Amino acid sequence: MITVAVVDDDRMLLDGMRVWLGGVPELRLVATAATVGELLGAAATATVTAATVEELPDEPPGAPEAQLPHGCGGTRGAPADVVLLDLVLRDGSAPADNIRRLLRAGSRVLVISTVPDRSRIIEAVRAGADGYLTKDNDLPTLVAAVKDLAAGRGAHSTELAFACAYDNSPDRPRLSPREREILLDYASGLTLKSAARRAGITVHTAKDYLDRVKAKYQQAGRPAYTKVDLARRVREDSLDGS
């Protein structure tokens, strides 16, 4: 069962999400909130309440069970597997900050928005969002995206692919086809030797290409020192085309 939370200040949308997700057996809506602070605050309260409940002596038979705070879905403060986050909230919070707070809490983040704004999509992905959908998508598309995120994959929508394809921002390095090939193979988990063999070049040449990639990201202000860093840049820039 995949647990889902929704952060949006549109009450009609929240009501609609409850109805939509309530009919999907693989998903469980555990919380809704108008702000990220409200969602995380409710989770923290649930954690404290659950800990307090566990310290209490056993109740006599027939006594009512202690209840967690409303909206926490009995998760005892655990973060939802996936949070659907409205990109622009009326509390004035920065989208990138909201995404980072949710990631630190342990959730994966699917950004939802009314407008496929390329710059905002790129900003959200750079902040760590795992996917982006516009709100006019249907339920099967939303469910598929949530399942992808819960499985550790990204949700690569048409809007996200379009934004990345036409991203000309200075912090997105321009890689040659061979640099991109070596980066993708290496970042996917192959050793440099295996990546070189697959490309039909020497290990020394492959390392030269990889060093160029690192240098370009360094110049763009987005250093990538390790394989983990490089894999993150691949995901942020949707270089794998998935």
Side-chain angles (χ1 to χ4, degrees):
M1 179 72 69
I2 301 170
T3 57
V4 180
V6 183
V7 178
D8 199 301
D9 47 26
D10 184 335
R11 293 186 62 182
M12 290 182 66
L13 182 138
L14 292 180
D15 289 343
M17 281 292 184
R18 290 188 189 99
V19 175
W20 260 24
L21 299 180
V24 182
E26 306 97 319
L27 307 184
R28 179 181 173 212
L29 181 62
V30 296
T32 60
T35 68
V36 170
E38 180 183 330
L39 178 70
L40 298 180
T45 300
T47 301
V48 173
T49 302
T52 303
V53 168
E54 289 172 358
E55 292 173 0
L56 294 176
D58 292 339
E59 295 288 345
E65 288 187 6
Q67 298 296 313
L68 297 182
H70 175 72
C72 293
T75 60
R76 290 187 178 271
D81 297 321
V82 178
V83 175
L84 309 183
L85 173 67
D86 187 15
L87 185 63
V88 181
L89 299 171
R90 284 195 290 269
D91 67 348
S93 54
D97 289 342
N98 285 335
I99 293 166
R100 294 187 188 105
R101 290 179 68 188
L102 292 169
L103 293 174
R104 287 197 297 268
S107 297
R108 305 204 76 193
V109 181
L110 177 61
V111 172
I112 54 177
S113 179
T114 55
V115 180
D117 185 307
R118 286 195 320 214
S119 62
R120 287 180 172 175
I121 294 174
I122 295 301
E123 179 187 5
V125 173
R126 294 271 164 79
D130 300 286
Y132 187 105
L133 287 180
T134 52
K135 292 181 179 179
D136 58 356
N137 279 285
D138 57 15
L139 178 59
T141 301
L142 175 63
V143 171
V146 170
K147 289 181 177 179
D148 281 341
L149 264 62
R153 300 184 292 270
H156 297 280
S157 63
T158 302
E159 298 88 4
L160 178 57
F162 181 81
C164 292
Y166 291 92
D167 178 22
N168 294 315
S169 57
D171 58 354
R172 180 184 173 94
R174 308 261 76 79
L175 303 179
S176 71
R178 185 66 87 180
E179 289 169 348
R180 176 172 174 152
E181 178 185 4
I182 296 300
L183 169 60
L184 290 177
D185 284 343
Y186 182 69
S188 71
L190 293 182
T191 64
L192 191 59
K193 183 177 181 180
S194 295
R197 184 185 304 115
R198 185 171 180 177
I201 57 179
T202 67
V203 175
H204 177 77
T205 302
K207 184 178 183 302
D208 183 53
Y209 281 123
L210 196 61
D211 287 342
R212 290 186 208 172
V213 170
K214 291 180 178 180
K216 288 183 178 181
Y217 272 108
Q218 179 74 37
Q219 292 168 4
R222 300 166 61 204
Y225 303 112
T226 67
K227 179 176 284 191
V228 172
D229 292 335
L230 290 168
R232 185 177 299 114
R233 299 295 172 259
V234 167
R235 182 173 63 83
E236 289 172 349
D237 293 347
S238 292
L239 293 177
D240 54 2
S242 60

